[in-house]
Amino acid sequence: MYVIQPLAHPTYDTKKPVLVLTSVRDGKKFLIGSVSEGTQRLFNEAKIKAGKVENIFLTGNLNWDSISGLPGLILTISDQGKKNLNIVSGLRDGVIHYVMATWRYFIFRFGIDICTKSLKDGEIYKEKDFIIKALNVGVEENSQQVEVDDAISGDFMNNLKKIVDKIFPLDINLNDYFISKKHYDKLLHLKLPYFSKKKNQQVHSTSTNYLIKFNQCRGKFLPKKAIELGVPTGRLFAQLTSGIPVELPSGIVVKPEQVMEPPRNFPKVLILDIPNLDILNQTINCDKLFRPVDENDEDKIGIVYHFIGDSVPDNFLDLHGYLKFITEKFDQDCKHYISHKSCSPNSLSFEKSALVTLKLKSINNEMFRLPTGSLRAAEFSQDNLAPLIANQKVSIKSDGIFNPDELKNSKRTIQDYWEELFESKIKPLELNIYSKKEILNTKIENDKNLQESLEVSTATDLREEVEIITLGTGSAIPSKYRNVVSTIVRVPYIDDKTGKIQFNSVVLDAGENTIGSIKRIYGSQLPIFFKELKLIYLSHLHADHHLGIISLIQEFNKFQEKNNNKENYIYIICPWQYDLFLKEWDRIDDLENLKYCKYISCEDFLVPNFNDERRKPLKQNATLDFEEEDTVEYEPSYEGDYKAEDELMLELYRDLKIRKIETCRAIHCDWAYSVSLIFEIDNDKLPNNNDNFITNFKISYSGDTRPNISFAKKTGYGSDLLIHEATLDDQLIDDAISKCHSTISEAIFVGRLMDCKKTILTHFSQRYPKLPDLNYKFNIFEKLNNVSFDGDGAQAQNLLYAFDNMIIKYNSIHKQMENFSKVGNEKLYKIFGDEAVEEEQEDAEAKDENNINGTGKNDTNSNKRKNNTKSDQKNKIEAGRNVSEALFQNVNNNIKQRKIAD
């Protein structure tokens, strides 16, 4: 038996559909469809181990939406102990290799063998339990195919494969840090060859579909029949069951088919991916979809999955003849699941995260909005048609298709969903801080409240109206409860033409599926976000910080084109490699994302810090030729002088009303930065400013880093707001040092050293799915225990622990701790007790499974690698401790000096 589980259907959270095919016999899993942003997080939500995936079969044509989640999913699969992975598509090998070569800026993963297989039209891929046939629909003219072949043949493809092998090395000396670092540095500075869009027509003009035929299942053995034929019980029974004839002492030969029921056949499965109207029209007239898979194929198609792209109009079933295609070309008992934005509901893909949001809203109502969505799916008059809905499993058996999870469409609304969740999960907690009505706004009330909060008509101090939206607050990989990091900061200003208060929005890092979180929060007010969006800042090249940027830019482009507004731009401040990544991707998928983007390197904003020569600007851009990668060594060199403000930087300052942007090197990885932005606040232009002439607002963002004295005492000193990573709890300081992250208390002390007015902590380890340590104690370094701070704890320090989809006004940061205090720590942790128990159970199951599979702590090779690097880690940790102690001693002295001055 086989089970097909839709992991995703089109929603705000997941742009494209994907299926998980599971063989019940051995538990192997196969991913079929698109791997869009959010896919790896869906594995967690559905409690499916990504490490169980054997093959990924990509459907449709190639664009960012179809594989934007693939880099993150591969990393997750590798982390779960998988040693090999096959990626199958209808694209040429060179195209997939080129795609993976563009990842060299942010992926380097040891120990997983990535194999790609390109299937020509009609070619068959064999698995143990089934065969899958590629059906490529689209332009297939020989002249165009030759152009594609020329673009990716010979040395070109071999060199691309070598790059991919070095991104995913199977054999490298991990014990020698300098060798592995030099290896990675070379990849960063390698120029890819030009990949012509004209020669890459197949990528966009052809769509890959699959027809799956399952192997016959042996019939049931009939022992009574065997005995009647004179076969003695025992060994000969087993021989017949295995399909081997037996010869009796009488010389009679008994064949297996004489004592077995007839073999059982399974219905075939067809997956159609139709990205646009051109492909739809060709699919309707495509006879090869119905040809036998092989000469022994007599099975009927029992189930069809229709993946219809967003560009196909909502009325595609009737107006474009697709319904006629379904009813006339397939048997009446064939089941059809249709995925299209007009058919599948915009339901909440991450329900566990939604429940956490509801719980937090019940404590801090004004800081959260319930995610927008809809539960209504399309209704079809034909019984064999149904909308594709995630997690509604289908069982494929020899006697037919069974869909026990299929739900009939109902009148249930998203408001009903929240009502039910409140009654079952919130009411029993007896919090009694807000009423049910206050927490569960209706859609009309929610839209009205959102619009009012996004607009400010009067103010006496614009600094207090600065708004922070923490879209994602986790680190490394998305979890059920926290997405990877991304933050919006909305900074008010006075429009010179209208005299009204307006906002500029800055996005600080944008991990995978940032756009989904934005759509859930803004809902119908999404145009306000894109109207305000002016700047995207990327702190470094790790995948969890930037895989959502391209989607964000694409949506901005759509907004610009729809409103015929071609004068607005997004400024992108990022490491120089990211600009190259965008340009390399633009050769494959015509992103047009450079049309409205203006790029400036983080390196260009470096300023002198304590006369440290190592912090001077480095030379940027790729310098190694593609063909010379094996023979030329890369050596970093310093640019020399710090860059003066050029016209583009001054233009950025004017457009965003920024006085100054400064970066410093973060203590994390190469080309990682922390930043400070000083905004011009128009308090002097307010009609009732009460003589408030403070016109600066300074925001500092750490990115990923160890506590950094250059950031605290130079770049970020005197900040109004610090947003700092707090990846690990205090008792895990050794991990923080070895991985170049900060603990919670370290981040808090950086804010104190910086003389910052308010601090927001984010980027928490995913081992803290809900609440970080809210009872933080300054107990890492005993010498600090006697330091007397003004006030007591986080509340007095204007400290806030960020959660996903949190909306905070600058003047309300203190309210989080006020309400947490009302609830009390004991009850607070009890509120999230269910999730904590669930996490512990899943962690225990994962450890048991890893040990059974040889991928856990009992793995000999893993232990060997850990032992070999033990002394290096010890030295690194000791050095890190010395830096931390010096930093905290500086805090101590700073506070004492302030007391003396007072």
Side-chain angles (χ1 to χ4, degrees), residues 660-693:
K660 189 74 173 176
I661 297 177
E662 294 183 355
T663 60
C664 66
R665 299 200 192 285
I667 306 172
H668 185 61
C669 63
D670 288 346
W671 309 102
Y673 305 85
S674 300
V675 67
S676 290
L677 305 96
I678 304 176
F679 286 87
E680 179 182 338
I681 297 293
D682 299 328
N683 275 335
D684 54 330
K685 297 179 181 178
L686 291 172
N688 300 310
N689 66 358
N690 297 323
D691 296 327
N692 183 358
F693 296 110

Side-chain angles (χ1 to χ4, degrees), residues 414-443:
I414 192 69
Q415 193 67 23
D416 295 331
Y417 171 84
W418 291 118
E419 293 267 357
E420 293 163 10
L421 209 56
F422 182 90
E423 292 296 327
S424 62
K425 299 294 184 180
I426 305 302
K427 190 174 181 179
L429 297 174
E430 297 181 347
L431 296 174
N432 300 324
I433 300 176
Y434 301 99
S435 68
K436 177 181 176 180
K437 184 178 180 181
E438 288 176 306
I439 297 169
L440 302 182
N441 292 319
T442 65
K443 184 181 186 304

Side-chain angles (χ1 to χ4, degrees), residues 183-195:
H183 168 96
Y184 187 62
D185 283 347
K186 183 184 284 192
L187 288 178
L188 290 181
H189 290 267
L190 183 67
K191 291 186 290 187
L192 285 188
Y194 185 73
F195 198 62

